């Protein structure tokens, strides 16, 4: 499997998981821990994927810039933040 196929597989996985993003016990527990350990202020979420961590950080009052190298993941992150009524203007490709 080459890198492009691996990236496609990862994106496919995130898209299938996206419907359960807020009920996955492992992910929500890990995100809660990260939020508790993250100081107030500006946070850069590199490789933001579907936006679950970015959403939790924003909801906890952090100023978050979410970035991913995949157009598909950036769109998914924006959709997730919009769905939760959170600011999605700082989601970027790169």
């Amino acid at each position: 499997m080459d890198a492009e196929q691996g990236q496609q597989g990862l994106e496919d996985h995130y898209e299938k998981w996206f419907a359960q993003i807020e009920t996955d016990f492992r992910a929500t527990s890990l995100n809660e821990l990260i939020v508790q350990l993250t100081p107030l202020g500006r946070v850069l979420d590199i490789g933001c994927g579907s936006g679950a961590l970015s959403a939790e950080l924003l909801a906890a009052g952090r100023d978050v810039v979410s970035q991913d190298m995949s157009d598909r993941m950036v769109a998914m992150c924006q959709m997730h933040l919009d769905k939760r009524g959170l600011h999605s203007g700082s989601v970027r490709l790169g």
Side-chain angles (χ1 to χ4, degrees):
M1 177 184 302
D2 64 18
E4 189 174 319
Q5 289 172 319
Q7 180 67 31
Q8 182 68 37
L10 180 62
E11 291 176 8
D12 290 345
H13 169 74
Y14 275 129
E15 194 163 338
K16 289 175 186 171
W17 177 67
F18 188 68
Q20 302 162 5
I21 198 169
E22 294 178 21
T23 59
D24 182 278
F25 175 76
R26 292 169 297 161
T28 56
S29 296
L30 181 58
N31 288 344
E32 287 175 15
L33 178 63
I34 292 170
V35 169
Q36 290 173 11
L37 296 173
T38 304
L40 294 175
R42 193 158 199 183
V43 178
L44 178 59
D45 184 5
I46 291 287
C48 63
S50 56
L53 177 58
S54 292
E56 294 306 317
L57 288 164
L58 284 164
R62 305 313 191 277
D63 178 19
V64 180
V65 174
S66 308
Q67 183 169 323
D68 204 287
M69 61 185 268
S70 163
D71 289 321
R72 192 172 165 191
M73 293 295 103
V74 166
M76 198 176 300
C77 182
Q78 288 172 324
M79 186 170 63
H80 180 68
L81 297 179
D82 289 341
K83 177 183 167 189
R84 291 198 46 193
L86 299 166
H87 176 67
S88 65
S90 294
V91 179
R92 62 187 187 195
L93 182 67

